[in-house]
Amino acid sequence: MRSDVLNENSSSLGEVKLSDGWKLSEYSCTITVANGATTGKEAAIGMPAHFMPAWVAVTALNASTNTSNLVDVGNDADTDDYVDGAALPCGQSAGFKGILSCNGLRGTGNGVDGGLATADEIEIVVSADPGAATLELKLDFFGIGRI
């Protein structure tokens, strides 16, 4: 459904404008975990400031050599700021893997710390080295942000 059908004041598709400059919105990024590593992060700052994700949909863009699970999703300061302690299988086959609730300190499932005042890179932690084929994940966050 198009957001302009829901709210004619919305300025773009995919956003539903709420009161006082807040909106429901989504943010997407792609992260690669290299051979020999168990972490990966965005190449540049992308997660917008003042954004609190509620859920993140995870899609593996490639098949890794080794089996691994997505464990944490966060940022440089705290790698489990958005998702903490997941065990979502994501290695060895490409495709949609599932949707996780953002239960970390900056997710709406917990929300103790609120949204970051400054934009930052997304960083992930997986349970094992993905191997020679690496692991490339697309993360689609849905949450509330400030315009």
Side-chain angles (χ1 to χ4, degrees):
M1 179 181 293
R2 289 179 39 162
S3 64
D4 57 330
V5 173
L6 296 173
N7 184 338
E8 62 188 33
N9 295 321
S10 179
S11 60
S12 74
L13 299 178
E15 298 174 350
V16 178
K17 191 168 183 175
L18 304 173
S19 64
D20 195 31
W22 290 94
K23 63 183 177 181
L24 296 176
S25 60
E26 68 92 33
Y27 171 70
S28 296
C29 66
T30 301
I31 299 175
T32 300
V33 179
N35 182 17
T38 57
T39 63
K41 71 177 181 177
E42 287 181 282
I45 291 175
M47 176 65 91
H50 308 293
F51 178 75
M52 284 189 71
W55 306 281
V56 59
V58 180
T59 303
L61 300 178
N62 70 322
S64 64
T65 307
N66 301 326
T67 301
S68 63
N69 295 333
L70 179 61
V71 177
D72 295 322
V73 180
N75 55 50
D76 285 334
D78 186 356
T79 57
D80 61 6
D81 239 4
Y82 302 116
V83 174
D84 184 12
L88 184 68
C90 58
Q92 287 198 303
S93 67
F96 177 72
K97 299 303 174 181
I99 298 174
L100 297 171
S101 176
C102 291
N103 65 340
L105 293 176
R106 295 193 189 278
T108 58
N110 186 344
V112 174
D113 286 352
L116 288 172
T118 306
D120 202 356
E121 299 101 341
I122 298 297
E123 187 165 345
I124 62 172
V125 177
V126 295
S127 62
D129 169 9
T134 72
L135 176 62
E136 189 174 7
L137 297 180
K138 180 178 183 227
L139 305 177
D140 294 304
F141 293 90
F142 177 78
I144 299 171
R146 181 115 169 119
I147 296 172

